[in-house]
């Protein structure tokens, strides 16, 4: 597939109502909060017995659900969290105020790729993310993965808890159909057809051929870039916890 320029990702998938009501995600996708916890636990294990780390990034922090898990994992070490959407960052700022005040967390409004491009080679200990990369178009995501690799220090970690489509496309479609049923059930009960519409539209975007992030090609792509120890630590339906290390 051709690389898609960054400008094509400019649509704002988490603005307006999607941002205001983002916490309802846990109703339609209870696995998301569990994955945030897993990303944090994975980082905590990685940090164990390591000096520092002094430079850890989170891409797409949203309202701060995974950020809180990462901060807990990092002990005293600082975290820089990036998100392009002001409406999500306003909530992150409120939710994570104690860490910001303690100087442990820096929130930055920027596009992930622009931010990465401005960083030096071999300058970051770890890059963590949750439920963000699957939103990117293929070419943009590919560039982000390369940039993460470039900025990581040798031995640096990339960990991502995200939607990774099943390589068995029939089973994948079955799971997406179940997901759609869950959306209808939840938002009908809440009498929020406005949110139902937004999440269905969002799901179409996630599932589009330009975006869908299937597991095997994603792992292959990481290996091609040069990541080593590319591993799937956990798989739950369309979600997976994946990591790789820069040699
Ligand atoms: C589904 S939310 C996940 C938020 C959070 N990581 C969590 O676990 O709840 C995806 C987030 O990625 C952000 N995002 C999407 N595209 C981005 C980009 N190109 N650069 C930076 N952030 C982006 C969105 O604004 C949104 O806050």
């Amino acid at each position: 597939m051709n690389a898609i320029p960054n400008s094509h990702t400019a649509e704002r998938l988490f603005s307006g109502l999607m941002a205001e009501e983002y916490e309802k995600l846990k109703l339609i996708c209870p696995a998301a909060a569990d994955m945030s916890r897993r990303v944090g636990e994975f980082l905590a294990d990685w940090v164990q017995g390591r000096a520092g780390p002094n430079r850890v990034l989170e891409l797409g922090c949203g309202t701060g659900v995974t950020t809180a898990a990462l901060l807990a994992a990092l002990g005293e070490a600082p975290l820089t969290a990036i998100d392009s959407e002001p409406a999500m960052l306003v909530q992150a700022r409120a939710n994570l105020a104690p860490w910001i005040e303690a100087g442990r967390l820096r929130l930055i409004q920027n596009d992930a790729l622009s931010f990465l491009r401005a960083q030096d080679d071999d300058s970051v200990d770890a890059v963590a993310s949750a439920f963000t990369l699957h939103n990117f178009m293929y070419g943009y995501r590919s560039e982000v993965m390369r940039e993460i690799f470039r900025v990581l220090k040798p031995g640096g970690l990339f960990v991502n808890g995200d939607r990774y489509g099943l390589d068995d496309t029939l089973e994948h479609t079955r799971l997406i159909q179940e997901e759609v049923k869950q959306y209808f059930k939840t938002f009908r009960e809440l009498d929020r057809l406005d949110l139902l519409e937004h999440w269905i539209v969002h799901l179409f975007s996630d599932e589009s051929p330009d975006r869908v992030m299937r597991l095997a090609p994603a792992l292959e792509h990481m290996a091609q870039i040069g990541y080593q120890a590319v591993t799937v630590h956990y798989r739950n339906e369309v979600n997976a916890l994946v990591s790789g290390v820069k040699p």
Side-chain angles (χ1 to χ4, degrees):
M1 211 175 293
N2 290 333
I4 294 160
N6 190 13
S7 57
H8 287 236
T9 69
E11 63 192 307
R12 294 172 58 192
L13 297 172
F14 289 92
S15 59
L17 200 59
M18 286 292 272
E20 283 160 33
E21 301 278 1
Y22 182 72
E23 106 290 350
K24 295 219 167 44
L25 174 70
K26 59 179 180 287
L27 302 175
I28 53 169
C29 182
D34 175 64
M35 186 60 85
S36 295
R37 181 183 58 75
R38 285 174 189 276
V39 173
E41 284 175 1
F42 187 84
L43 186 70
D45 285 348
W46 185 80
V47 162
Q48 282 279 320
R50 217 168 269 270
N54 50 30
R55 201 129 192 262
V56 177
L57 305 179
E58 183 192 6
L59 300 181
C61 61
T63 59
V65 182
T66 308
T67 320
L70 296 173
L71 284 160
L74 283 171
E76 294 303 306
L79 175 68
T80 300
I82 295 110
D83 201 288
S84 54
E85 185 52 60
M88 297 296 266
L89 282 169
V90 166
Q91 296 176 64
R93 240 168 249 127
N95 295 338
L96 304 167
W99 282 288
I100 297 170
E101 280 153 26
R104 292 267 325 279
L105 173 66
R106 210 157 57 103
L107 291 178
I108 294 181
Q109 188 196 326
N110 203 346
D111 167 80
L113 188 54
S114 308
F115 179 86
L116 288 165
R117 281 181 174 155
Q119 309 307 307
D120 291 336
D121 292 358
D122 304 335
S123 61
V124 174
D125 296 284
V127 176
S129 194
F131 295 106
T132 294
L133 271 60
H134 79 271
N135 290 290
F136 297 166
M137 282 195 178
Y138 178 83
Y140 178 87
R141 183 163 64 232
S142 170
E143 207 43 49
V144 165
M145 290 304 294
R146 282 180 201 286
E147 280 297 294
I148 293 171
F149 188 79
R150 180 186 65 75
V151 304
L152 281 175
K153 295 175 184 172
L157 171 77
F158 165 70
V159 58
N160 188 32
D162 213 329
R163 286 174 75 94
Y164 283 93
L166 275 71
D167 302 306
D168 175 346
T169 51
L170 285 180
E171 178 60 4
H172 180 84
T173 301
R174 190 190 68 76
L175 291 172
I176 298 301
Q177 288 166 341
E178 290 304 317
E179 208 172 346
V180 170
K181 286 184 200 166
Q182 183 62 27
Y183 287 14
F184 271 83
K185 184 173 180 300
T186 305
F187 290 125
R188 258 203 207 120
E189 278 168 16
L190 292 174
D191 196 18
R192 291 300 304 267
L193 295 185
D194 53 344
L195 287 178
L196 174 63
E197 178 184 330
H198 277 269
W199 277 105
I200 293 282
V201 168
H202 186 88
L203 189 61
F204 266 87
S205 164
D206 283 353
E207 292 300 314
S208 74
D210 293 328
R211 280 198 175 82
V212 69
M213 180 165 74
R214 292 204 193 278
L215 186 61
L219 302 179
E220 241 167 67
H221 185 236
M222 284 178 69
Q224 276 165 12
I225 292 171
Y227 290 90
Q228 287 188 353
V230 174
T231 308
V232 181
H233 302 276
Y234 173 73
R235 185 65 154 146
N236 175 18
E237 301 192 333
V238 296
N239 304 309
L241 179 66
V242 169
S243 77
V245 172
K246 177 168 170 176

